[in-house]
Amino acid sequence: MGRILDYVVFMLWKRKYIRHRGRGTRINYTADFRKRKAVSFGDNVTIHHYAMFKGNITIGDNTTIKPYAIIKSSRSSTVEIGKNCRIMEFAVLICLGSLKIGDNVRISHHASIIGNTHKFERTDMPIWRQGLYSKGAVTIGNDVLIGAGTQVLDGVTIGEGAVVGAGSVVTDDVAPYDIVAGVPARRIGKRGALN
């Protein structure tokens, strides 16, 4: 009975934060929304417990957001996640510019996509007071796999079909179907090269 009551309270209280909710979409009552009418869900989306959303976010059909994932955008930016995507546990997607993720993308556990950075030029004031800036949009093409613990930095484009190895730090663009790994991420192969 307690879980049913929790869900009813969620539907009455938190629905004001959802701009659109597609058919068959399941949202766990512990999911956290921080901006009114800002999140839009396609059909058959699954949002697991304690996932957190803040800002203008659009999530495509058949996408799953696993527990404790964080997806945030600034007031003037947007996060767009395509169809059939999986954002795994503890993944962090934050942008000051825009973040566009294509269809059939997999973002593994503890991966971070950070679309901004701190200003730090001035030495007469603390870094945290100098604000943030964005080099540009972060774009991830269709059918991309981003390994666990990977960091994708500001202004990067990852091409269609690319694979990013676990623990990598992506500072530059990745060409379509390339396999990259390392700190910083470097090309180590190409998908389909063995076929």
Side-chain angles (χ1 to χ4, degrees):
M1 182 68 179
R3 293 188 75 177
I4 294 171
L5 182 59
D6 286 340
Y7 185 73
V8 169
V9 169
F10 164 77
M11 289 309 298
L12 294 173
W13 175 250
K14 293 200 175 179
R15 69 180 173 183
K16 65 185 171 186
Y17 294 95
I18 299 170
R19 184 173 56 234
H20 173 75
R21 180 178 178 173
R23 232 176 312 162
T25 291
R26 295 177 304 278
I27 303 171
N28 186 282
Y29 69 91
T30 62
D32 187 4
F33 298 90
R34 302 281 176 102
K35 185 177 177 188
R36 288 178 179 257
K37 298 292 183 190
V39 182
S40 179
F41 299 105
D43 295 336
N44 301 310
V45 172
T46 302
I47 306 299
H48 287 264
H49 56 277
Y50 300 109
M52 197 273 275
F53 303 88
K54 181 180 180 185
N56 300 312
I57 301 165
T58 303
I59 299 174
D61 299 343
N62 304 309
T63 291
T64 299
I65 310 295
K66 292 290 195 167
Y68 302 100
I70 298 171
I71 304 173
K72 293 169 52 176
S73 70
S74 70
R75 291 180 185 166
S76 61
S77 65
T78 59
V79 175
E80 296 178 35
I81 301 172
K83 298 176 182 176
N84 304 309
C85 294
R86 296 291 177 272
I87 312 297
M88 299 305 286
E89 290 89 350
F90 298 99
V92 177
L93 286 64
I94 299 175
C95 70
L96 191 61
S98 67
L99 170 58
K100 184 167 176 41
I101 298 172
D103 299 334
N104 304 305
V105 172
R106 299 296 183 259
I107 299 175
S108 283
H109 309 79
H110 296 276
S112 296
I113 300 171
I114 308 296
N116 58 47
T117 190
H118 285 274
K119 295 178 183 177
F120 54 85
E121 293 81 22
R122 295 181 59 181
T123 57
D124 61 330
M125 78 169 42
I127 292 172
W128 65 271
R129 287 191 166 198
Q130 295 182 45
L132 300 170
Y133 74 97
S134 175
K135 293 178 184 176
V138 175
T139 305
I140 298 172
N142 297 330
D143 192 31
V144 170
L145 172 62
I146 296 176
T150 294
Q151 308 288 314
V152 178
L153 301 182
D154 193 21
V156 168
T157 297
I158 299 177
E160 180 175 355
V163 175
V164 180
S168 299
V169 177
V170 182
T171 58
D172 294 316
D173 292 350
V174 177
Y177 302 101
D178 271 1
I179 301 169
V180 299
V183 179
R186 299 282 182 240
R187 184 175 186 264
I188 59 171
K190 190 137 184 111
R191 283 183 63 197
L194 300 176
N195 292 342

